[in-house]
Amino acid sequence: DGGITQSPKYLFRKEGQNVTLSCEQNLNHDAMYWYRQDPGQGLRLIYYSQIVNDFQKGDIAEGYSVSREKKESFPLTVTSAQKNPTAFYLCASSLQVQETQYFGPGTRLLVL
Amino acid sequence: GIQVEQSPPDLILQEGANSTLRCNFSDSVNNLQWFHQNPWGQLINLFYIPSGTKQNGRLSATTVATERYSLLYISSSQTTDSGVYFCAVHSNFGNEKLTFGTGTRLTIIP
């Protein structure tokens, strides 16, 4: 089946710990994105990547880092510098930027 | 940056009713998408509709780009239509970011 997968579904982080969220797509899309959603809110862009080995900051990049070493993979690391990481994280991809975006099922991150 | 407002913020309807959700945006756009977020958080594409009208079963959407708004129509609502509906836009002005509205929460009562 073609699509976008995210893992894990739930993730718990201790204070001062870095955690990495996985996003994989087999749609052969060039562009990939990470969004954060807080309860009752819309989505805000963290980072996006137009092509392999390239990525750009979104609106709320502080405390996050990404890499794009392979076309199908765009992992997000939530660093200890992110002081309020509890949120729902959604990954998306599109054939190219400004085309239709398709979303994965999301990862819920909770801080212990 | 571009502002996206959705109305109403909440809507509660009886099963079988029709509804209209509105999305206003503050600047010209070259892409507009409607999404449905189900109770488990999954975002489902409904329409890619920068202008004109599209229909898919009980759902249809119209975007009037010159007047900076889009409407999503849901006819004969079912309980599975419950969830949050988002519109999202790409601005015309070289911005590659998709900007989301704050959503309309739709609850369909049996």
Side-chain angles (χ1 to χ4, degrees), chain B residues 1-93:
Chain B
I2 192 167
Q3 305 297 312
V4 183
E5 294 181 357
Q6 292 185 243
S7 60
D10 291 280
L11 189 57
I12 301 174
L13 296 172
Q14 205 79 36
E15 197 168 24
N18 301 330
S19 58
T20 301
L21 282 58
R22 187 176 180 102
C23 172
N24 291 332
F25 40 95
S26 61
D27 221 328
S28 57
V29 300
N30 57 24
N31 175 6
L32 186 144
Q33 290 186 246
W34 282 99
F35 296 93
H36 175 216
Q37 187 169 37
N38 67 22
W40 297 271
Q42 176 79 54
L43 270 163
I44 310 295
N45 279 294
L46 298 177
F47 294 102
Y48 174 99
I49 185 164
S51 64
T53 297
K54 290 186 178 179
Q55 179 148 11
N56 184 5
R58 295 182 296 104
L59 274 61
S60 65
T62 295
T63 297
V64 184
T66 52
E67 297 187 23
R68 299 181 183 169
Y69 73 89
S70 183
L71 301 173
L72 178 69
Y73 306 97
I74 305 173
S75 64
S76 305
S77 299
Q78 300 175 359
T79 55
T80 51
D81 294 330
S82 295
V84 183
Y85 289 80
F86 289 102
C87 74
V89 302
H90 271 124
S91 167
N92 264 343
F93 297 100

Side-chain angles (χ1 to χ4, degrees), chain A residues 36-51:
Chain A
R36 170 180 170 141
Q37 186 179 29
D38 293 288
Q41 304 294 316
L43 279 68
R44 292 183 293 167
L45 183 66
I46 305 172
Y47 269 98
Y48 68 98
S49 168
Q50 295 187 66
I51 202 165

Side-chain angles (χ1 to χ4, degrees), chain A residues 9 12 16 20 22 24 27 29 33 38-39 42 55-56 74 82-83 85 87 89 91-92 96 101 109-110:
Chain A
K9 196 170 182 178
F12 299 93
T20 298
S22 168
E24 304 275 332
L27 300 168
H29 285 172
Y33 314 81
D38 293 288
F55 49 83
Q56 306 292 331
F74 191 40
Q82 172 50 243
K83 297 306 177 190
Y89 291 87
C91 177
Q96 294 180 7
Q101 291 189 19
L109 176 61
L110 297 170

Side-chain angles (χ1 to χ4, degrees), chain A residues 99-112:
Chain A
E99 296 196 20
T100 304
Q101 291 189 19
Y102 297 91
F103 283 79
T107 292
R108 293 192 187 276
L109 176 61
L110 297 170
V111 176
L112 300 176

